[in-house]
Amino acid sequence: HQKTPVRVMHSRSLATRDKEVLSLRLELLGPRFGILRIVTAAGMYIKEFVHGDLGRTEPSLSSLLGAEADILQLDVMDVHDDLGS
């Protein structure tokens, strides 16, 4: 679940949202860097999923790895619209 992230609390209502990670692949580039490819349900806060947002997102990549994690660069590769056109 994800609680409203600290970085958007000033503009979003406080809530706990259940979000789903549909697929996750981590390609390590070295001992401290990697490329994370993630597919999630709509509305997932990706940055917060990675670092945990002070425990406001559980589980997080950081908690799963048992180590601190953060994002250096975030690229959206695709957006799926399952509502149809």
Side-chain angles (χ1 to χ4, degrees):
H1 67 269
Q2 289 190 308
K3 293 181 180 175
T4 303
V6 171
R7 70 181 170 92
V8 299
M9 287 174 81
H10 65 281
S11 62
R12 301 260 192 268
S13 62
L14 295 178
T16 299
R17 299 164 180 88
D18 289 325
K19 298 298 176 182
E20 188 175 359
V21 174
L22 304 173
S23 70
L24 179 83
R25 188 173 86 219
L26 178 59
E27 176 188 346
L28 293 176
L29 302 177
R32 296 176 43 99
F33 297 96
I35 296 174
L36 176 67
R37 298 185 191 282
I38 185 170
V39 178
T40 70
M44 179 95 164
Y45 290 102
I46 303 301
K47 292 177 185 179
E48 286 71 17
F49 170 74
V50 171
H51 58 66
D53 198 31
L54 304 172
R56 299 178 64 79
T57 295
E58 280 295 329
S60 66
L61 182 63
S62 181
S63 70
L64 294 171
L65 294 173
E68 288 186 21
D70 208 348
I71 290 180
L72 295 177
Q73 179 176 330
L74 176 63
D75 296 320
V76 175
M77 305 305 289
D78 201 359
V79 175
H80 295 273
D81 177 6
D82 293 337
L83 298 177
S85 299

